[in-house]
Amino acid sequence: MKSKRIIPCLDVNEGRVVKGCSFVNLRDAGDPIELAKRYDEEGADELVFLDITASSDQRGILIDLVKRTADTLFIPFTVGGGISDIPTIHELLLAGADKVSINTAAIRNPKLIHEASHQFGNQCIVLAIDAKAIKAESDTPAHENPEIAIDENSGWEVYTHGGRNHTGIDAVKWAKYVTSLGAGEILLTSMDQDGQKSGYDIGLTQAVAEAVSVPVIASGGAGALEHISDALNVCDAALLASLLHFQELSISEIKTHCDSVDIPVRQTG
C-alpha cells in the first residue's frame, strides 16, 4: 500500500506564517524559511506554501520568498496563492516549486487547469478547494454551469478569495470536473473546521476522495493524533498547520501514531 503523507502548511501573509480559525483572526506563527527548514529536517513528506492574501489583494505571489524557501528544502514543495496564468506557473516552477496549487483562477477560467497540466504535466497541478457546509436556509444562487452547480442534494459549496466569496459550485462536482480537465491532486480545506481542532470534515473528505481518482489532501481541523489517522483512513495525505507551528505535536509523534494504527507512512530518521 502506498504511504500516506504528512504535509505541513505555511499560510503566508506579508512574509510571515500565520494561522487563524475558519480563515479569520490570524496570529503570527513564525518565519516561513525557518519553519520550512525545520519541517524538512523533522521528516515531513512534503511542504505546502500558500500566499493566502495574493488573490484577495489582487497581486502576484511572493516569488523571492518562494525561491528562498525552496532553497532550504529537499522534499516536494507546493506553492499557491494568486496563480492565474501559465507564465506565473512557469516562474514558480523555475523558482523551485515542484507543484502549484490553483484555486480562485480555476473557477474564473477552468481551461487554465487543462492548459497547465498539458504544458507541465498533471503531477505539477494541484487544485485547491475551500469548501463550507451548505445550510438549509442558504439562498446562494447556483452556478450557471449545471455540471458543477449546487443543487438540493449538495452538501458543500466552494468558496474563493481565501474563503470570502460564494461561488454556487458544489464541492464534490467541482473536484470531479477539474480532475477531468487534468488536475493531478486535490487540496481540500473545510472552512468550517479550519483552526477549530475538532477534527477534519470526514464526510466532505470521503465524498471527494470517492468521487475522484487522484490523491486528496485533507485540510482543516486537526487537533489530536486520532483526527489525523481518521482522515488518512479516507484520503491520501493530511495537511497540518497550528499543531506543528506551535509545537503541540511533532511529525515524529504523528508518524509513530499512524504506524501504531496500521496506516503506512514513510518513517523518519
Side-chain angles (χ1 to χ4, degrees), residues 6-12 17-20 27 29 35 38-39 47-48 50 194-195 197 200 218-223 228 238-251 254:
I6 305 301
I7 306 176
C9 181
L10 308 180
D11 291 322
V12 177
V17 176
V18 296
K19 194 67 191 84
R27 58 174 172 150
L35 287 173
R38 188 180 97 199
Y39 295 142
L47 186 79
V48 169
L50 300 177
D194 179 70
K197 295 188 177 181
Y200 295 93
S219 171
I228 300 165
L239 200 74
L240 296 149
S242 58
L243 277 181
L244 296 177
H245 300 339
F246 303 118
Q247 298 183 312
E248 297 171 49
L249 284 176
S250 69
I251 291 169
I254 293 167

Side-chain angles (χ1 to χ4, degrees), residues 58-238:
Q58 297 183 332
R59 60 168 172 80
I61 202 164
L62 304 171
I63 295 288
D64 181 62
L65 185 56
V66 168
K67 187 178 298 185
R68 287 188 289 129
T69 304
D71 286 344
T72 72
L73 294 173
F74 295 93
I75 55 177
F77 180 39
T78 299
V79 176
I83 300 171
S84 60
D85 54 46
I86 295 297
T88 301
I89 296 171
H90 190 217
E91 186 176 15
L92 286 168
L93 295 175
L94 288 176
D98 298 282
K99 310 175 191 178
V100 295
S101 173
I102 303 171
N103 186 342
T104 301
I107 291 170
R108 289 199 302 260
N109 176 25
K111 290 181 180 179
L112 177 63
I113 298 297
H114 174 72
E115 292 168 1
S117 63
H118 179 73
Q119 184 159 338
F120 304 110
N122 68 349
Q123 77 284 350
C124 292
I125 308 303
V126 179
L127 192 285
I129 298 175
D130 296 332
K132 194 172 185 178
I134 297 172
K135 297 179 180 179
E137 66 274 15
S138 174
D139 57 357
T140 303
H143 192 273
E144 60 186 17
N145 181 354
E147 192 173 354
I148 59 175
I150 55 174
D151 57 35
E152 66 274 9
N153 298 313
S154 297
W156 301 272
E157 182 186 357
V158 176
Y159 282 67
T160 64
H161 295 83
R164 294 168 178 80
N165 297 344
H166 289 271
T167 64
I169 294 173
D170 177 285
V172 179
K173 291 180 182 178
W174 178 236
K176 291 175 66 175
Y177 184 71
V178 293
T179 53
S180 74
L181 294 176
E185 193 164 31
I186 300 291
L187 171 53
L188 178 65
T189 300
S190 166
M191 291 176 57
D192 300 304
Q193 295 300 103
D194 179 70
Q196 302 298 327
K197 295 188 177 181
S198 57
Y200 295 93
D201 188 330
I202 299 299
L204 168 64
T205 304
Q206 186 166 7
V208 170
E210 290 178 350
V212 302
S213 59
V214 302
V216 173
I217 305 168
S219 171
L225 290 168
E226 292 74 18
H227 297 157
I228 300 165
S229 52
D230 287 347
L232 292 177
N233 277 321
V234 300
C235 70
D236 303 272

Side-chain angles (χ1 to χ4, degrees), residues 4-8 43-47 75-76 251 255 265-266:
K4 303 296 178 98
R5 291 168 289 152
I6 305 301
I7 306 176
D45 297 298
E46 298 185 17
L47 186 79
I75 55 177
I251 291 169
K255 290 194 172 185
V265 289
R266 180 181 67 86

